[in-house]
Structure formats: structure tokens, C-alpha cells
Amino acid sequence: KNEVEQSPQNLTAQEGEFITINCSYSVGISALHWLQQHPGGGIVSLFMLSSGKKKHGRLIATINIQEKHSSLHITASHPRDSAVYICAVSLSFGNEKLTFGTGTRLTIIP
Amino acid sequence: NAGVTQTPKFQVLKTGQSMTLQCAQDMNHEYMSWYRQDPGMGLRLIHYSVGAGITDQGEVPNGYNVSRSTTEDFPLRLLSAAPSQTSVYFCASSYSYPSGGSYEQYFGPGTRLTVT
């Protein structure tokens, strides 16, 4: 069983819809990262969080440490949001090694 | 800042050949790592380094070698390429706080390697 599980694996939505991508992990962590990867492109860090909630533009990330669960929300989705979203965790403080989920492929239809 | 750079972008090797994937960063980050990305699997850690002169193995180190002679550079060597090493390779870097904490990771653009 993967230590980091994402759902759904694939998500197709209409432009303007509210998007939620989920990430669950099975061990204690020091931080959780949300990453974005466009087709054929590199990987960009969106958020790093260890508690609560962060917001950047139309993206919101939340984490519940007790439930070992995080969500990434996209409001007013746009075709340019189409990408693979990857959840990753740092397992211990001072240890930057990441364990990754397999990603959620998001497609936003105009 | 150029951030994290990787060369080459694409490479085709024959089985048994060796090569070095280059990675450099200009952000004075202590921590650098190499990952491989395969279809249907999450990124997996190959090797990592917490500073010049210090390297350690990750989850899938077999067939790969690394060294860290400077803070800026972290090359990955394929000793004798095999078809199972066909993958996309990403280098990443971040600050590393010895007594705790985590930092945002910066990824290079990737190297797509095919071994025939």
C-alpha cells in the first residue's frame, strides 16, 4: 500500500467548476507539498503546508493532521489549470526526502 | 537566478552504455536530489545529498552513482544503462534546516532518457 494516496486519479470538469483533489497519507509527516506538472513540462511547487490552510490566487490547500488528509481546491477552474497535480509528504523534520502520490490528472473543458 | 538546470533534455542510449545527467542550481541550496518518474508510479527518489561531500541512497539507487563536490552541482551517473532505466529524471533542490522544518522544493525541467 502506498504511503500517499490521491483521489481521483483522473478528473474532467467544465470551465468554471469548483475542483477538489484529495490526498491521504498513512504516517506522521512534517510537511505536505502540492505540486503541479503540465503535460511534457517540469514540476512546480504550489504549496507546502504543515497545518491549516493556504491560499494563492484561485488555489486553496488545506490539511487535517489528525485525519492525515489534505485537499487542493481550485475555484473558477480554467483550461490552463489542466495538469497533473501531485501530493508529496516529508516524513520527518529536517528530512527533505519526499514520498509522492501517483498524481491526479485534471482536464478542464472550455 | 536560473534556478535548477538539467542537461541534456533528451537522451537515447544503447544497453550497456554509460552517461552522466547534469544538474546545477544557483540558489545555494544545501539539499539536492534525483528522482525518476515512470508511468503510473509516483516519483521515486534515487539519491540525495544534504551538502557538498555528503550523499546517500534513496528508494531506487541500483545502477546509479552520484557525487557532490560543490554546493551547485549534483551529477547522476548511469554506470551501464539498461532498458529498465528508461524514464524521466528530475533533479530537485531546497534549503535544509538541520534542526527541523521543511522547505519548498525546486525542480529542474527533467531529462527524458530512453535505453534501447
Side-chain angles (χ1 to χ4, degrees):
Chain A
K1 186 182 187 299
N2 286 341
E3 289 173 320
V4 181
E5 299 271 359
Q6 287 186 239
S7 63
Q9 285 189 313
N10 294 282
L11 178 57
T12 300
Q14 293 290 132
E15 182 174 354
E17 287 190 36
F18 181 83
I19 304 298
T20 296
I21 299 170
N22 296 299
C23 176
S24 297
Y25 51 93
S26 55
V27 296
I29 65 170
S30 65
L32 184 142
H33 302 249
W34 281 104
L35 310 166
Q36 180 192 57
Q37 184 176 28
H38 282 285
I43 299 168
V44 174
S45 178
L46 297 175
F47 295 103
M48 187 189 71
L49 63 166
S50 54
S51 65
K53 176 179 172 178
K54 287 190 176 180
K55 184 175 189 289
H56 184 243
R58 295 180 294 107
L59 274 60
I60 303 165
T62 64
I63 188 168
N64 185 319
I65 297 294
Q66 286 73 30
E67 295 186 3
K68 296 186 171 58
H69 181 268
S70 176
S71 293
L72 177 68
H73 305 288
I74 304 175
T75 62
S77 59
H78 190 277
R80 65 175 175 266
D81 297 325
S82 298
V84 175
Y85 293 83
I86 303 169
C87 172
V89 298
S90 306
L91 296 183
S92 59
F93 285 110
N95 183 346
E96 275 56 59
K97 291 191 290 182
L98 298 183
T99 300
F100 295 81
T102 54
T104 294
R105 184 175 300 276
L106 174 66
T107 304
I108 303 297
I109 300 171
Chain B
N1 288 349
V4 181
T5 58
Q6 289 183 239
T7 56
K9 284 191 171 14
F10 301 94
Q11 182 71 47
V12 179
L13 290 178
K14 293 189 187 314
T15 297
Q17 287 185 316
S18 62
M19 79 159 295
T20 299
L21 307 186
Q22 300 291 345
C23 174
Q25 52 89 12
D26 60 359
M27 297 173 282
N28 202 32
H29 286 167
E30 300 95 336
Y31 181 79
M32 296 185 75
S33 55
W34 276 102
Y35 297 96
R36 59 178 289 173
Q37 185 178 41
D38 301 296
M41 303 184 75
L43 286 104
R44 293 180 292 168
L45 181 65
I46 304 171
H47 284 285
Y48 67 100
S49 169
V50 297
I54 306 169
T55 64
D56 205 348
Q57 296 181 348
E59 182 185 352
V60 287
N62 292 342
Y64 307 95
N65 207 353
V66 292
S67 60
R68 185 99 178 266
S69 56
T70 67
T71 299
E72 295 77 19
D73 299 298
F74 191 44
L76 177 72
R77 296 184 190 82
L78 277 70
L79 308 172
S80 176
S84 61
Q85 293 179 304
T86 294
S87 188
V88 181
Y89 292 84
F90 288 95
C91 179
S93 73
S94 76
Y95 289 109
S96 178
Y97 191 55
S99 58
S102 292
Y103 290 90
E104 177 182 0
Q105 295 225 357
Y106 293 80
F107 288 82
T111 295
R112 187 173 294 273
L113 175 69
T114 302
V115 183
T116 61

